[in-house]
Amino acid sequence: MDRKFIFITGGVLSSLGKGISAASIGLLMERRGFRVNFIKFDPYINVDPGTMNPYQHGEVYVTEDGAETDLDLGHYERFTSVQTSRHNNYTTGQIYAAVIDKERRGEYLGKTVQVIPHITDEIKACIRRAAKGSDVVIVEIGGTVGDIESLPFLEAVRQFRLEVGRTNAAFVHVTLVPYIPAARELKTKPTQHSVKELRAIGISPDVLLCRTDRFLPPEIKEKISLFTNVEPEAVITAKDVEFVYEVPLVFHHEGLDHYLVKILQMPHTEMDLSDWELLVYRLKHPKDEVTIHIVGKYVTYQDAYKSLIEALTHGGVANDLRVRLQWVEAETLEGGDLSALEGADGILVPGGFGRRGIEGMIRAIEYARTKKIPFFGICLGMQCATIEFVRHVCNRPDANSTEFDPDTPTKVFVLLRDLVGVEYMGGTMRLGAYPCDLAPGSLAYRIYGTERISERHRHRYEFNTELRTLVESHGLQVTGISPDGRFVEIVELPDHPWFLGCQFHPEFKSRPLRPHPLFVDFIRAAYAHKRQRLGLKAAEVPHVVPLVQSAG
C-alpha cells in the first residue's frame, strides 16, 4: 500500500477541535491496523511556544526529546500509541529559520529565495521526514482558512497532493454548522463560505467535519453537499460531546473512517473499539465523585492545564470516580481568606513561572499540610511545597526561590547551574525525559512499584541540595533523585495521609487507557479523605474495575 496523507484544515473560526479531530482519525486508523504519525503546523513566527504567555497559547506540551510544542500533540499521544518528538510540530518561525540558514550556507546557489518554491519545499520536506515508517500521516494545519499566516502551509499541502496523487491524499475540513435558537434552524452558510475560501486557494475538501450541537439530519447534509461539492456521506457530524474521548466513537458512527479508507483505496480491516466504549461508559457512569481544588496562576484559561485536566480525569476513571475540579486563583488567597479551599477532597498546585500568586500557593499548601488533606505539587507546586516547609517547619521565614527573590538569605531553589550566564530564554530549560531513582519504602516507590522511573521535565530552577539535611531532619523526605544525585525530583511527608511533590510533569505521560499511577493514587487518597470527612467507612470505597488495556 502506498503511504497515505490526511490533511486537516479549519474554517469559520478557531477552537473548533482540529486537534481532537486529528487525534480521533489517528485512533480510528490505528485500530484498523495502520501505523500512524502526526504533524502539527503552527503559523505563528515564534520558533516554539516555550516563551509564549499561557493565556495566549495555552499549555506547552513537552515531548520525550525535550521539544516544547503545541498542546495538540498531547491529544495525539493520548488517543494513539504515537510518541511524538520535535519532528511532529513545526512553526512558521522554524520553517523560515531553516530556509534562511540554508541561504546563508549557499545551498540555493545564488537563487532568489521566495515563499514559492523555497518555503513550501521546506514544509513538504518536513512532511516527508515525519512520514518515514508510517502508513498514514495526519497533518493538521493550525489557524483558520483565510488567515494570511497559514497560506504558505496550505499552498504546500496543495502541491503535496498533486505530487503524491489523489488516491494517496485527502483533505478534511473542520467547519461550523451553528444552530440559531431564534430561528430554530441549523445554518449552513458559514460552512459554504468556508469551503468557498478553501477552494479559492486550490483545495477542494474531500470530507467536511461539521461542528454542531446535534446530529445533522439527512436534508442538512444533502444541502451542504450540494453547495460544497462534497459527497453527502462525507458530510460528517462533529457533535459536541461531554468527554473528548467520545469523538472517535461519533466519527466511527458517522462512517468517517470507512469513507477515508474507501477514497484512499486502503485495505478494509476489522476494528475493535470495545475498550474505548468501556472507557466512555465509565466516564459517564461513575460510582461516586471527588472534588479537587487546583490552586494556580492561569486558572481563568484552563487550556493552560489541558494535560493536567485529562490526567486527573484518567485517575478518576481508574477509581470509578468523577473528578470535579474547583479552580482557585492563587492571588485570591494571599490576603489570608482560605474559604475557597473548604470542602476540598484533595489540593493540587500545578506548574507555572514567575512570582505572581506564589504566596497564595504557599498558603494553600500550608492549609493542606496542617489539615491533613491529600496534596499533590507538580513542578512549581513541588517548589512551593518545599519553601512552605522550610519557612514554617524548619523556622526559616525568609526562605524562598531566587526566581521570586534573588536576594533571599535562605535559597531553597536556585537557577540551574547549566543556565548561569545563559541569556537566551527559549529552549534553555531542563526539558524532556530524565531518569529518577526512588527510595525503597517511600510513597513514590509504592505507587510506581519500581526503583527507577523516567518522567518529562520543564523547569529552570533546582532544589538547593545544601538544604537537604535541614529539610529531612525536620520530616520532609527526599524520595526521588536523579541517578547522578544532582537533582531532587520528589519530596514527600511520611506523617501525612498523602503529601507528594515532584519536579517533573507526570501529566504528560498519562493516557486514558493507561492512567499515570501518581494521579490514580492521588485520586484514591482524595476519595478516602472524603469518606473519612463524611464519617463513612473506608470499606465503602467502590470496587475498581481495571480498564481494558490497549496499544493506545
Side-chain angles (χ1 to χ4, degrees):
M1 183 188 79
D2 291 336
R3 186 172 289 123
K4 309 300 180 180
F5 298 86
I6 299 172
F7 299 106
I8 299 180
T9 58
V12 184
L13 45 81
S14 60
S15 301
L16 288 182
K18 294 191 301 296
I20 294 292
S21 299
S24 298
I25 292 172
L27 181 147
L28 294 172
M29 289 296 168
E30 197 171 68
R31 292 306 177 90
R32 286 181 173 270
F34 302 113
R35 295 169 300 169
V36 173
N37 204 1
F38 298 90
I39 303 176
K40 171 69 184 294
F41 286 119
D42 282 304
Y44 48 74
I45 300 176
N46 304 64
V47 172
D48 62 41
T51 58
M52 294 172 68
N53 190 317
Y55 286 112
Q56 290 191 20
H57 180 269
E59 172 186 85
V60 174
Y61 188 79
V62 179
T63 60
E64 285 283 300
D65 64 347
E68 295 175 287
T69 69
D70 187 78
L71 62 82
D72 281 335
L73 271 69
H75 295 313
Y76 305 160
E77 290 199 354
R78 285 187 287 271
F79 278 62
T80 70
S81 63
V82 172
Q83 182 171 286
T84 59
S85 71
R86 63 184 69 255
H87 299 301
N88 295 94
N89 189 200
Y90 294 94
T91 69
T92 294
Q94 289 175 335
I95 298 294
Y96 273 76
V99 170
I100 291 169
D101 185 53
K102 288 179 180 179
E103 187 275 331
R104 292 288 82 189
R105 294 200 306 265
E107 292 189 21
Y108 297 119
L109 304 176
K111 296 177 182 177
T112 301
V113 179
Q114 298 175 293
V115 173
I116 303 173
H118 302 100
I119 296 297
T120 52
D121 282 353
E122 185 67 26
I123 294 168
K124 290 185 289 184
C126 293
I127 298 173
R128 291 191 179 94
R129 266 198 303 272
K132 294 177 181 178
S134 303
D135 299 317
V136 181
V137 181
I138 300 167
V139 181
E140 178 191 350
I141 311 294
T144 305
V145 171
D147 294 345
I148 191 171
E149 294 92 343
S150 59
L151 281 175
F153 296 103
L154 295 170
E155 170 60 21
V157 298
R158 183 197 68 79
Q159 295 176 17
F160 198 94
R161 185 183 193 178
L162 198 63
E163 294 170 7
V164 300
R166 297 187 64 85
T167 59
N168 292 323
F171 286 106
V172 176
H173 190 54
V174 184
T175 182
L176 179 69
V177 180
Y179 178 79
I180 309 301
R184 297 182 180 179
E185 286 183 324
L186 287 162
K187 291 297 184 180
T188 65
K189 193 64 72 176
T191 294
Q192 294 178 40
H193 281 288
S194 182
V195 172
K196 181 181 178 181
E197 188 85 30
L198 192 60
R199 293 175 71 183
I201 56 177
I203 298 174
S204 295
D206 300 291
V207 175
L208 295 178
L209 300 182
C210 301
R211 183 70 184 268
T212 183
D213 66 349
R214 64 202 65 205
F215 283 104
L216 299 179
E219 60 271 19
I220 292 294
K221 289 188 175 186
E222 290 169 5
K223 181 179 179 181
I224 292 173
S225 170
L226 177 66
F227 284 96
T228 62
N229 203 37
V230 174
E231 293 186 28
E233 65 175 311
V235 180
I236 305 295
T237 299
K239 181 181 174 293
D240 296 346
V241 292
E242 184 180 2
F243 298 100
V244 293
Y245 305 111
E246 295 180 65
V247 175
L249 302 180
V250 172
F251 284 174
H252 181 62
H253 175 269
E254 287 280 293
L256 172 60
D257 52 305
H258 176 78
Y259 185 78
L260 287 171
V261 165
K262 183 179 76 171
I263 66 171
L264 292 173
Q265 299 181 7
M266 301 166 69
H268 179 82
T269 54
E270 297 299 321
M271 63 189 306
D272 181 13
L273 292 172
S274 59
D275 55 351
W276 210 259
E277 291 167 346
L278 175 61
L279 167 70
V280 171
Y281 177 84
R282 290 181 60 185
L283 284 166
K284 291 188 169 186
H285 302 89
K287 296 293 178 64
D288 205 343
E289 65 181 42
V290 291
T291 300
I292 303 299
H293 285 51
I294 300 179
V295 182
K297 297 164 64 76
Y298 320 114
V299 298
T300 56
Y301 186 56
Q302 292 168 19
D303 265 6
Y305 301 111
K306 178 58 70 177
S307 291
L308 178 67
I309 295 170
E310 296 306 318
L312 287 166
T313 300
H314 304 162
V317 73
N319 285 283
D320 231 350
L321 299 168
R322 174 164 295 182
V323 179
R324 301 284 186 187
L325 301 180
Q326 190 72 34
W327 298 92
V328 181
E329 173 60 61
E331 284 183 288
T332 64
L333 305 179
E334 293 184 349
D337 181 5
L338 304 182
S339 59
L341 301 176
E342 293 177 0
D345 300 321
I347 294 175
L348 190 151
V349 176
F353 296 92
R355 64 182 301 173
R356 182 180 66 83
I358 295 302
E359 296 304 319
M361 294 179 184
I362 289 174
R363 285 184 180 273
I365 294 165
E366 182 183 21
Y367 182 89
R369 179 177 60 81
T370 57
K371 301 288 186 182
K372 303 294 185 181
I373 300 170
F375 168 78
F376 194 1
I378 296 175
C379 197
L380 178 63
M382 173 267 203
Q383 296 181 8
C384 288
T386 310
I387 292 168
E388 188 277 328
F389 188 86
V390 175
R391 283 184 185 180
H392 301 133
V393 180
C394 301
N395 197 28
R396 300 284 188 91
D398 55 5
N400 217 327
S401 166
T402 57
E403 179 181 8
F404 318 132
D405 181 5
D407 300 318
T408 178
T410 306
K411 297 176 173 61
V412 185
F413 284 85
V414 295
L415 185 69
L416 290 169
R417 282 162 275 182
D418 294 343
L419 295 185
V420 175
V422 175
E423 295 182 2
Y424 273 37
M425 295 290 289
T428 57
M429 287 185 281
R430 186 168 180 246
L431 294 164
Y434 288 93
C436 168
D437 290 339
L438 304 181
S442 64
L443 174 63
Y445 181 86
R446 177 184 66 77
I447 292 170
Y448 279 99
T450 185
E451 289 187 4
R452 176 164 291 187
I453 60 173
S454 175
E455 294 285 1
R456 301 182 193 179
H457 296 69
R458 184 176 184 246
H459 63 105
R460 195 179 300 278
Y461 290 80
E462 62 178 300
F463 176 72
N464 181 2
T465 53
E466 294 179 3
L467 297 181
R468 179 173 176 178
T469 301
L470 173 69
V471 299
E472 290 196 315
S473 66
H474 285 78
L476 184 67
Q477 298 301 303
V478 173
T479 61
I481 195 163
S482 61
D484 61 5
R486 177 177 171 182
F487 296 103
V488 169
E489 299 279 13
I490 301 175
V491 296
E492 56 185 71
L493 281 176
D495 63 348
H496 190 283
W498 207 99
F499 191 103
L500 185 146
C502 56
Q503 183 62 76
F504 48 82
H505 287 266
E507 67 269 27
F508 292 145
K509 299 188 80 166
S510 186
R511 308 289 178 260
L513 299 181
R514 290 181 283 113
H516 194 287
L518 285 178
F519 287 95
V520 174
D521 206 67
F522 174 58
I523 297 300
R524 178 204 58 77
Y527 189 63
H529 175 76
K530 173 183 177 178
R531 306 297 286 189
Q532 183 182 40
R533 178 167 54 84
L534 296 177
L536 301 173
K537 296 179 180 178
E540 296 181 31
V541 176
H543 173 66
V544 177
V545 180
L547 281 168
V548 177
Q549 299 293 308
S550 81

